[in-house]
């Protein structure tokens, strides 16, 4: 049962335009969401996060929106740059302050390949 | 800071062989994790540790073992390698809860079992 889904395997965008990456989840108890970026032959790197008590978080060109009623998360990149071309993963965390973790509490989506064309 | 380092970067194993994937972090993080990533799939948690001497199973632990004798090191042991263990393995670490949920990943080990 995939609790976190990224339904678009890939996205192609022109440089300077907006990139919108989407993530859907099923468990309304998730309390933290994160986005990671991954280049080939490297590990994922943290990009931006949002707590479930917020609906928006912004960091430079990156903005994450959380729609709890729709159980939907999106990452906006404006303006997109060729260096943003990578795989983007969303992650959902349950009870991140509980003092423990388990596999049921850290769930990644399948990833979306973003290609930004010059 | 080197962050999270993993060795080796690549390895080819024959069926039935064993090996240890090494992982070291220099950020003094208590929490460490091992993931595998199969093509077109997200990261699946194999094992995790919340501190030296404490480990627990993740979502896909079968065929693997871990130990955590120090804060810095979290090796992953594959016994009797099988083709199903062909994957890319990532080690990660994170702060304790309340200090930020993001994980810091190593560069990965690409393992092929033939």
């Amino acid at each position: 049962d995939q609790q976190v889904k990224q339904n678009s395997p890939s996205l192609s965008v022109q440089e300077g335009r907006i990139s919108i990456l989407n993530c859907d989840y099923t468990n309304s108890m998730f309390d933290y969401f994160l986005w990671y970026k991954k280049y080939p032959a490297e590990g994922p790197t943290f990009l931006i996060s949002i707590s479930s008590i917020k609906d928006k978080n912004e960091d430079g060109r990156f903005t994450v929106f959380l729609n709890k009623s729709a159980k939907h998360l999106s990452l906006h990149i404006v303006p997109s740059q060729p260096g943003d071309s990578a795989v983007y993963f969303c992650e959902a965390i349950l009870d991140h302050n509980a003092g423990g973790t388990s596999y049921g509490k850290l769930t990644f989506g399948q990833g979306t390949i973003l290609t930004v064309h010059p | 800071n080197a962050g999270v380092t993993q060795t080796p970067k690549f390895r080819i194993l024959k069926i039935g062989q064993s090996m240890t994937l090494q992982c070291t972090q220099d950020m003094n993080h208590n929490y460490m994790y091992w993931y595998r990533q199969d093509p077109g799939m997200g990261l699946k948690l194999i094992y995790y540790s919340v501190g030296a001497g404490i480990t627990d199973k993740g979502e896909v632990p079968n065929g693997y073992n871990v130990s955590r004798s120090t804060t810095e090191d979290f090796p992953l042991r594959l016994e009797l390698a099988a083709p199903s263990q062909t994957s890319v393995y990532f080690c990660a670490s994170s702060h304790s809860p309340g200090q930020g949920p993001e994980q810091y990943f190593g560069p990965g080990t690409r393992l092929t079992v033939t």
Side-chain angles (χ1 to χ4, degrees):
Chain A
D1 178 27
Q2 188 75 25
Q3 291 197 0
V4 178
K5 285 187 179 177
Q6 294 175 254
N7 291 315
S8 298
S10 62
L11 175 67
S12 184
V13 171
Q14 204 69 30
E15 181 178 8
R17 301 285 189 116
I18 184 171
S19 295
I20 300 176
L21 297 120
N22 295 304
C23 183
D24 295 301
Y25 60 95
T26 57
N27 190 341
S28 59
M29 299 302 291
F30 285 130
D31 59 352
Y32 230 100
F33 301 90
L34 298 88
W35 284 96
Y36 292 83
K37 180 169 72 173
K38 184 185 176 307
Y39 292 120
E42 294 183 11
T45 54
F46 169 69
L47 203 51
I48 193 170
S49 64
I50 188 167
S51 163
S52 62
I53 63 173
K54 296 186 175 181
D55 54 20
K56 178 182 174 181
N57 189 27
E58 192 170 354
D59 183 2
R61 296 185 298 114
F62 302 91
T63 303
V64 56
F65 294 93
L66 178 61
N67 182 334
K68 289 184 285 294
S69 60
K71 297 194 185 69
H72 180 80
L73 183 71
S74 63
L75 174 68
H76 292 212
I77 306 173
V78 183
S80 301
Q81 299 172 354
D84 296 328
S85 297
V87 180
Y88 289 78
F89 292 97
C90 63
E91 180 191 18
I93 299 181
L94 190 65
D95 293 338
H96 86 281
N97 276 326
T101 62
S102 74
Y103 73 88
K105 296 182 179 179
L106 299 169
T107 310
F108 282 85
Q110 309 94 309
T112 295
I113 301 170
L114 174 65
T115 304
V116 181
H117 299 283
Chain B
N1 281 357
V4 180
T5 57
Q6 292 182 239
T7 56
K9 284 187 165 41
F10 305 94
R11 184 73 187 268
I12 298 175
L13 279 183
K14 294 192 186 307
I15 294 170
Q17 287 185 322
S18 301
M19 76 165 294
T20 299
L21 281 67
Q22 301 293 344
C23 175
T24 300
Q25 54 93 7
D26 62 0
M27 296 173 282
N28 202 33
H29 287 163
N30 283 325
Y31 284 61
M32 294 189 75
Y33 315 81
W34 274 106
Y35 292 91
R36 58 177 287 172
Q37 186 195 8
D38 300 324
M41 304 294 286
L43 295 152
K44 301 283 188 185
L45 185 63
I46 304 171
Y47 269 96
Y48 67 97
S49 170
V50 301
I54 307 170
T55 64
D56 208 346
K57 296 177 181 178
E59 184 181 359
V60 289
N62 290 346
Y64 307 95
N65 275 303
V66 293
S67 59
R68 184 96 182 269
S69 57
T70 66
T71 299
E72 296 78 18
D73 300 307
F74 191 39
L76 177 72
R77 177 84 179 160
L78 278 72
E79 305 281 2
L80 299 174
S84 61
Q85 293 177 305
T86 294
S87 189
V88 181
Y89 291 84
F90 292 102
C91 178
S93 69
S94 70
H95 299 290
S96 298
Q99 296 176 314
E102 66 270 19
Q103 295 170 65
Y104 298 80
F105 286 84
T109 295
R110 185 175 294 274
L111 176 68
T112 302
V113 182
T114 61

